[in-house]
């Protein structure tokens, strides 16, 4: 394998390590912040109008949803606009934390195959160089060189596919968590603003 193809393989190897590190980090973050929270439990507390119990639940629960509830409870008033702004501010801050590294996964998913293809092109160029300098056994040397060149494309796909799957998985979990938080906020506003 030529120097250029080896360089591409090294780049892909390093990118795959980076990708896996991001996946493990996001998995741990999502498990701690979103994993065990049941929105129905919070909604039952809100529907019971037991604000002390709701505050106690939110303070004793280190989750994303509990943070949204605390933001709603900490709003200047129980009016819809005030609660909405407080929760939206909290969600915006949390979105930055949750999306950390996801753009890297998206970029790797779309560009790793091209990096692999670049390695393949370099390998094919090397193969033609081998063909032009050798005679007799040139065909077997060229086939070996072409096979080595195609490894770069395969590794590029090997890096890209898990990155795309992880990006879609974490993106969907994040969207669901935000929808749950907004649903809890809306229920809180509907119950608290009218003093029910």
């Amino acid at each position: 394998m030529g120097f250029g193809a080896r360089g591409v393989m090294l780049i892909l190897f390093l990118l795959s390590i980076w990708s896996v590190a991001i996946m493990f980090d996001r998995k741990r973050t999502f498990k701690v912040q979103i994993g065990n929270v049941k929105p129905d439990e919070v909604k039952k507390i809100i529907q019971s109008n037991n604000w002390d119990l709701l505050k106690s639940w939110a303070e004793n629960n280190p989750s994303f949803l509990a943070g949204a509830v605390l933001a709603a409870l900490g709003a200047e008033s129980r009016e819809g606009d005030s609660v909405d702004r407080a929760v939206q501010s909290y969600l915006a801050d949390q979105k930055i934390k949750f999306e950390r590294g996801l753009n890297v996964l998206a970029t790797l998913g779309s560009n790793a195959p091209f990096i692999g293809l670049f390695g393949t092109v370099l390998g094919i160029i090397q193969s033609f160089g081998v063909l032009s300098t050798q005679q007799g056994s040139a065909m077997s040397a060229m086939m070996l060189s072409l096979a080595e060149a195609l490894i770069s494309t395969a590794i590029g796909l090997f890096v890209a596919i898990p990155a795309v799957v992880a990006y879609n998985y974490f993106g969907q979990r994040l969207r669901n968590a935000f929808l749950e938080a907004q649903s809890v906020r809306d229920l809180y506003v509907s119950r608290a603003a009218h003093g029910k």
Side-chain angles (χ1 to χ4, degrees):
M1 193 175 282
F3 178 74
R6 284 183 190 162
V8 168
M9 298 283 276
L10 178 63
I11 290 170
L12 287 171
F13 177 72
L14 295 174
L15 290 176
S16 70
I17 291 173
W18 191 17
S19 175
V20 169
I22 290 170
M23 288 179 212
F24 279 118
D25 177 62
R26 293 298 86 196
K27 182 178 181 187
R28 186 177 60 247
T29 300
F30 277 64
K31 183 178 181 182
V32 169
Q33 291 290 314
I34 299 173
N36 300 324
V37 177
K38 297 180 176 113
D40 292 338
E41 177 184 339
V42 181
K43 289 180 179 180
K44 284 179 185 175
I45 296 171
I46 292 171
Q47 289 169 340
S48 72
N49 298 329
N50 190 341
W51 308 126
D52 292 331
L53 178 61
L54 181 65
K55 185 174 183 180
S56 174
W57 176 88
E59 289 175 342
N60 295 316
N61 193 327
S63 70
F64 165 74
L65 187 58
V69 170
L70 285 174
L73 291 170
E76 289 184 13
S77 72
R78 289 186 176 180
E79 296 299 319
D81 288 342
S82 179
V83 172
D84 187 47
R85 283 193 300 273
V87 173
Q88 286 298 344
S89 174
Y90 170 79
L91 293 179
D93 290 342
Q94 294 303 305
K95 186 173 184 183
I96 293 168
K97 293 177 187 175
F98 278 116
E99 287 183 340
R100 186 176 298 132
L102 293 186
N103 58 346
V104 173
L105 293 178
T107 302
L108 287 177
S110 60
N111 292 315
F114 293 113
I115 296 170
L117 186 60
F118 178 67
T120 298
V121 169
L122 292 176
I124 290 172
I125 291 169
Q126 179 190 358
S127 296
F128 283 118
V130 168
L131 183 62
S132 68
T133 59
Q134 292 188 0
Q135 298 185 7
S137 64
M139 187 54 93
S140 63
M142 183 176 172
M143 288 300 147
L144 177 63
S145 198
L146 285 174
E148 288 177 349
L150 290 173
I151 292 172
S152 294
T153 298
I155 292 177
L157 291 171
F158 182 74
V159 172
I161 291 170
V164 169
V165 170
Y167 174 78
N168 289 333
Y169 172 75
F170 291 124
Q172 186 60 48
R173 285 200 68 189
L174 184 58
R175 283 188 291 276
N176 290 344
F178 272 66
L179 287 173
E180 289 169 355
Q182 290 166 349
S183 173
V184 167
R185 175 203 61 203
D186 292 344
L187 180 62
Y188 173 77
V189 168
S190 73
R191 304 290 289 196
H194 296 74
K196 292 183 180 177

